[in-house]
Amino acid sequence: MPDMSASLALTHLVPLAKEVDENKVTPGVLGFIVFAVMALAVWGLMKSMNRQLGRVDFTEETDPKATTSEPEPAGPAGSGGKTSPAKG
């Protein structure tokens, strides 16, 4: 069985909605206050994010356990990666 209080509320609110002139509806003071609070919250979050990103150290520390030898190049740059046969 449907909730009787919901249907009763709808029957009372529908005539009130028809009395409102659709050309004069504006967000009003409450809409401005909500928008202003949201704008201030976004500004504060961006300022906090800037401060946190300023503290980040982007330099990567080298691992002391890593080997210091670098990989050898595949071959001469002009040969297309192919090596010449050994003499002998």
Side-chain angles (χ1 to χ4, degrees):
M1 180 170 207
D3 189 14
M4 294 306 283
S5 62
S7 64
L8 183 63
L10 285 176
T11 57
H12 286 285
L13 291 177
V14 170
L16 291 176
K18 291 185 179 188
E19 293 175 7
V20 176
D21 186 11
E22 293 179 6
N23 296 326
K24 294 183 180 180
V25 176
T26 62
V29 176
L30 181 62
F32 174 75
I33 291 171
V34 169
F35 182 78
V37 167
M38 288 174 55
L40 285 173
V42 169
W43 177 77
L45 286 172
M46 290 180 69
K47 188 170 181 166
S48 174
M49 182 184 67
N50 250 350
R51 187 172 46 241
Q52 294 298 325
L53 286 177
R55 294 179 184 172
V56 174
D57 183 22
F58 288 105
T59 58
E60 184 176 340
E61 296 179 9
T62 57
D63 188 13
K65 297 178 184 177
T67 59
T68 57
S69 64
E70 296 182 14
E72 295 181 13
S79 66
K82 297 181 180 178
T83 59
S84 60
K87 295 181 181 178

